[in-house]
């Protein structure tokens, strides 16, 4: 199905387009037309605009500062924002609003909701995720970071890694072991920990694209209030899985749009420099087009389930595996289309204000855009679950194969 197939979608879509026309600068062509500093500044201003209009957390109930939109309206809003190339917030809002905010609405106490949710929306609290460890990435249940009670506080010790946006955050939701003797998936709790304290150290990790978007985080007798546990003590695995479901909730609607916009840029580049006349490259471009169309139809299936009230399940592994491996192939193809230009980084580098997977809408077709995006795509088959783990989930949970 398409979101436009629903009878109530087009009226709301018209209202969203009116809002965008009124609030965006004249002649807007996407955040990709801005350099890094200007893109960051725009994202902050746009976040304030969304907050003012109650659209920063569209799925949240109005009583907590959200828009209270229906699932269909949420999808339409995400689609329209993706098409015109505007962010839904700033980088850490993925963790603040989509992940921990939605998780608090599901698992949090009323006191936690009343305290944290307004601070998330105002931007006073900006969050990052403390899940992966050097010895526990895809095997998350093997984590070793621990927390013990000391009076009215938890005392946390251990290390987290690949903490995206950790250098920008002042709070972190941390998965820790609170019962050392319990089986792997038990004895784990999710804690809400302030980062502006002596026991928390953030060390940026520089990637091959020259950026430091993710970090290591070290806890040495760091502390948080006893009541800052989400869900039950030692029952954090269920909470953690709820949070990961929210991480992938909008992908079905947004990713096919973004990858099609990216492919259209590549097709334009191939026509301009003559690569489209090469029979081998032409076949690969056609294959990429088929890949995006397959992704679009997969997205429709996931979208139909979402609009019927089904949360993302094991079937999300199919989508994640597909798009991450597709993107490595298409960005490698882009370097072939660039030919010798792919040997030198020239032009505007991606800011990734709107999306992590592709360059921003409106980005110029230069080598800096494609080379950097190709480098970043290498991580796509690792983060949010490696391809090997996705294949295991597909085999065991969807196909019923033995472990």
């Amino acid at each position: 199905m398409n979101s436009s197939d629903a009878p109530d979608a087009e009226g709301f879509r018209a209202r969203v387009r009116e809002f965008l026309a009124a609030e965006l600068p004249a002649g807007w062509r996407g955040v990709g037309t801005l350099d890094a500093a200007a893109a960051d500044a725009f994202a902050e201003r746009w976040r304030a605009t969304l907050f003012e209009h109650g659209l920063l957390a569209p799925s949240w109930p109005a009583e907590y500062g959200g828009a209270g939109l229906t699932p269909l309206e949420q999808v339409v809003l995400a689609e329209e924002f993706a098409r015109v190339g505007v962010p839904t917030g700033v980088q850490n809002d993925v963790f603040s609003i989509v992940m921990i905010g939605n998780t608090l609405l599901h698992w949090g106490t009323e006191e936690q909701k009343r305290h944290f949710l307004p601070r998330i929306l105002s931007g006073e609290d900006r969050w990052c995720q403390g899940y992966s460890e050097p010895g526990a990435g895809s095997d998350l249940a093997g984590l070793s970071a621990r927390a013990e009670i000391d009076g009215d506080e938890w005392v946390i010790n251990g290390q987290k890694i690949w903490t995206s946006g950790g250098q920008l955050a002042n709070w972190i939701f941390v998965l820790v072991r609170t019962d050392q003797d319990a089986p792997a998936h038990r004895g784990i709790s999710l804690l809400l920990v302030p980062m502006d304290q002596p026991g928390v150290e953030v060390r940026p990790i520089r990637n091959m694209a020259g950026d430091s978007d993710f970090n290591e985080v070290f806890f040495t007798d760091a502390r948080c209030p006893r009541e800052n546990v989400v869900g039950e003590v030692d029952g954090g695995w269920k909470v953690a899985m709820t949070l990961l479901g929210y991480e992938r909730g909008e992908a079905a609607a947004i990713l096919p749009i973004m990858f099609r916009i990216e492919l259209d840029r590549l097709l334009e580049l191939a026509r301009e420099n003559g690569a489209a006349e090469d029979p081998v490259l032409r076949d690969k471009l056609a294959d990429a087009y088929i890949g995006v169309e397959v992704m679009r139809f997969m997205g429709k299936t996931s979208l139909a389930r979402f609009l019927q009230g089904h949360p993302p399940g094991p079937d999300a592994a199919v989508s994640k595996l597909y798009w991450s491996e597709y993107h490595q192939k298409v960005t490698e193809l882009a370097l072939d289309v660039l030919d010798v230009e792919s040997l030198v980084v020239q032009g505007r580098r991606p800011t990734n204000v709107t999306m992590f997977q592709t360059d921003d809408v409106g980005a110029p077709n230069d080598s800096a855009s494609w080379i950097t995006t190709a480098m970043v795509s290498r991580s796509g088959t690792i983060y949010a679950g490696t391809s090997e783990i996705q294949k295991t989930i597909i085999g065991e949970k969807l196909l019923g194969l033995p472990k």
Side-chain angles (χ1 to χ4, degrees), residues 39-220:
D40 287 340
F42 171 81
E44 291 289 349
R45 293 195 304 272
W46 185 247
R47 187 189 197 279
T49 298
L50 296 179
F51 178 55
E52 177 185 350
H53 288 81
L55 292 175
L56 191 56
S59 67
W60 290 11
E63 64 179 300
Y64 296 112
L69 298 185
T70 66
L72 175 61
E73 291 170 335
Q74 295 169 45
V75 168
V76 170
L77 186 71
E79 287 176 342
E80 292 304 312
F81 278 25
R83 285 194 178 97
V84 301
V86 294
T88 54
V90 295
Q91 179 178 347
N92 289 73
D93 282 329
V94 173
F95 307 104
S96 302
I97 297 173
V98 177
M99 293 188 186
I100 193 60
N102 282 325
T103 302
L104 285 173
L105 285 170
H106 185 94
W107 288 100
T109 64
E110 191 58 33
E111 291 76 13
Q112 289 172 340
K113 295 174 188 177
R114 295 295 177 189
H115 175 77
F116 286 109
L117 297 184
R119 296 163 64 93
I120 287 173
L121 290 184
S122 70
E124 183 177 355
D125 292 348
R126 299 200 175 188
W127 291 78
C128 60
Q129 179 181 22
Y131 272 29
S132 296
E133 299 181 5
S138 296
D139 181 22
L140 187 57
L143 61 89
S144 60
R146 67 187 187 278
E148 300 172 343
I149 283 292
D150 179 19
D152 292 331
E153 294 181 312
W154 292 99
V155 180
I156 303 111
N157 285 279
Q159 177 188 357
K160 296 294 179 178
I161 198 167
W162 315 126
T163 308
S164 300
Q167 78 280 17
L168 306 173
N170 58 352
W171 281 83
I172 182 171
F173 49 92
V174 187
L175 209 58
V176 293
R177 191 161 295 283
T178 46
D179 184 345
Q180 307 302 315
D181 299 321
H185 290 82
R186 303 175 186 173
I188 291 174
S189 302
L190 186 72
L191 302 183
L192 310 176
V193 182
M195 299 182 72
D196 52 353
Q197 58 173 302
V200 179
E201 180 186 1
V202 179
R203 299 181 189 173
I205 299 172
R206 188 177 180 86
N207 64 25
M208 68 177 179
D211 300 319
S212 298
D213 291 329
F214 43 76
N215 312 263
E216 296 176 283
V217 181
F218 295 86
F219 301 93
T220 307

